[in-house]
Amino acid sequence: MNTSLPAERAASLAEIASVLRRAQRVLAFCHISPDGDAIGSLLGLGWILRELPPLPTAETRQIALVCADPPLPQLSFLPGAEHLLTASPAGPWDAIVAVDASDAKRLGSVFRPDDYGAAPIIVLDHHVTNLHFGALNYVDTRAAATAQVVVDLADALEAPITREAAVCLLTGLVTDTLSFRTSNTTPEVMRTAARLMEAGANVSEITALALNRRPLAAIRLWALALAALQLDGNVLWTQVTLAMREAAGSPQDGESGLAEYLLNAPEARATAIFSEKTTGAVEISFRSRPGCDVARIALSLGGGGHPQAAGCTIPGPLADAQARVLPLLHRAAG
Ligand code: AMP
Ligand code: MN
Ligand code: MN
């Protein structure tokens, strides 16, 4: 548990489990521009809640899983992905759950806390930058993925992990740890992964589908972005302009993985990708080596993340965003 969590809002998994066990109608969300951990944790949670025994007062439990943006094609193999909603159905609800999101804004405009009446908002997350925006917040910053938190919740609920749940949750672990290569890959991560494999999830298949598969247009975009690479001190960075994206064939989420890739250069202590959006805003992805904290920078710019992987969206144009952010990155990279 994150010890900095305000005591009155920090909840135990046992408390959260007792709310969810009694809830007939649950509405759950994950963050916008969802990655494998967001979608995997949301779907995994859905599969786990469906395994709970029926309530004496009702025939079935109703579980609505909402993400403001649809999953990327490389995540469409996940069991249940076809039932994800991009808009919230009408209430009332007994409990609201947010997974893998460090603040309410990250859930997009589909998340409307004013509409939920007395239903408690439950936050399940692992970001060090989490703002504890729920009534019941469980934020385990040592967890490598929110999927780990969902596995721990399943145990607190004494709910079985079916093959469907295991595939979704192992996808969260695989994508957030880059297939068990990040510095937060602990023996606990490996134990959970083994358990999910025993429940029927195939790690090599998930890695091939959810992590390694990259459309040709995305590879073409990398070529253009790599050609614009700059090393300033020990900060290695580049940009993705709208023109580059169009020239590459407009890949969806084409930058994904690029900031990590730059960190392969031993010269780099921190990396950044500045991406120009059609709105004029600039989305920034940060990666760093242990000892250089990019979560702090992202949080100070209105974003969030983890010490070694973070992001934010700030006003453009690109040159202004770079002039504002690169000095911060230089200072952190020492
Ligand atoms: P990305 O570079 O998009 O892969 O994101 C790296 C990490 O930072 C992930 O854990 C994201 O959830 C987090 N992150 C990225 N962008 C934002 C944002 N605008 N607000 C909060 N967290 C973010
Ligand atoms: Mn995520
Ligand atoms: Mn995550």
Side-chain angles (χ1 to χ4, degrees), residues 118-182:
I121 294 170
I122 297 169
V123 169
L124 301 174
D125 190 29
H126 69 131
H127 291 93
V128 68
T129 53
N130 192 290
L131 300 182
H132 316 137
F133 59 97
L136 298 165
N137 299 277
Y138 184 84
V139 182
D140 183 354
T141 58
R142 288 168 312 178
T146 297
Q148 173 72 60
V149 174
V150 175
V151 169
D152 295 342
L153 174 64
D155 291 344
L157 284 164
E158 296 177 13
I161 295 183
T162 59
R163 189 197 68 84
E164 288 86 354
V167 170
C168 297
L169 295 169
L170 188 56
T171 297
L173 278 186
V174 163
T175 53
D176 263 22
T177 63
L178 308 175
S179 216
F180 312 108
R181 290 183 293 139
T182 54

Side-chain angles (χ1 to χ4, degrees), residues 31-33 35 100-103 105-106 126-127 129 176 256-257 259-260 283-287 298 302-306 309-313:
H31 65 74
I32 53 174
S33 304
D35 50 29
D100 201 41
S102 53
D103 60 71
K105 185 178 79 228
R106 197 72 181 130
H126 69 131
H127 291 93
T129 53
D176 263 22
S256 168
E260 267 113 37
E283 204 175 271
I284 313 172
S285 264
F286 300 106
R287 295 293 183 273
H306 310 284
C312 61
T313 302

Side-chain angles (χ1 to χ4, degrees), residues 41-68:
S41 295
L42 183 63
L43 291 172
L45 175 72
W47 288 115
I48 284 159
L49 295 179
R50 281 183 211 108
E51 288 298 312
L52 292 177
L55 290 156
T57 50
E59 299 246 305
T60 52
R61 292 174 186 268
Q62 286 179 41
I63 297 145
L65 306 177
V66 179
C67 181

Side-chain angles (χ1 to χ4, degrees), residues 55-106:
L55 290 156
T57 50
E59 299 246 305
T60 52
R61 292 174 186 268
Q62 286 179 41
I63 297 145
L65 306 177
V66 179
C67 181
D69 298 317
L72 293 164
Q74 56 265 41
L75 295 172
S76 61
F77 75 96
L78 289 176
E82 66 280 16
H83 301 308
L84 286 171
L85 305 169
T86 50
S88 181
W93 305 100
D94 301 318
I96 312 295
V97 187
V99 299
D100 201 41
S102 53
D103 60 71
K105 185 178 79 228
R106 197 72 181 130

